[in-house]
Amino acid sequence: MEKTKPVQYIYILEYPDGDIVTRKRLRERMKQKLPFVLQENIGNGKKLIEAVDVVSIKEWNEDENYGKYPIMPIDLS
């Protein structure tokens, strides 16, 4: 439909020992797996992926944009 909306991957990672370092490592690994290099090499100037981010529920809820759609953890026990 000829729309030019940016594609962003946002992965919400929440687990008991999760920290910012773990999320940063995962974000860097995801960047290696997603086609960022491909979009640089295809040459038509259109980005396939604008951004990738890994956040906790707290970071999501505190973000200016994402926080408009708050997430609440649930207890599955």
Side-chain angles (χ1 to χ4, degrees), residues 5-57:
K5 294 182 178 182
V7 175
Q8 299 179 354
Y9 288 88
I10 305 164
Y11 190 89
I12 302 167
L13 180 65
E14 192 71 32
Y15 62 101
D17 296 327
D19 62 1
I20 196 165
V21 174
T22 304
R23 289 188 297 277
K24 182 178 178 182
R25 283 186 193 148
L26 181 57
R27 179 176 46 249
E28 295 306 315
R29 298 230 12 194
M30 288 176 70
K31 284 182 180 178
Q32 292 173 0
K33 301 291 183 185
L34 293 170
F36 282 100
V37 175
L38 174 65
Q39 73 186 10
E40 292 172 7
N41 295 329
I42 57 176
N44 67 359
K46 181 180 177 185
K47 286 189 172 185
L48 302 173
I49 302 170
E50 190 69 31
V52 60
D53 202 3
V54 179
V55 298
S56 67
I57 292 174

Side-chain angles (χ1 to χ4, degrees), residues 1-6 44 46:
M1 299 186 88
E2 305 286 331
K3 303 222 179 203
T4 57
K5 294 182 178 182
N44 67 359
K46 181 180 177 185

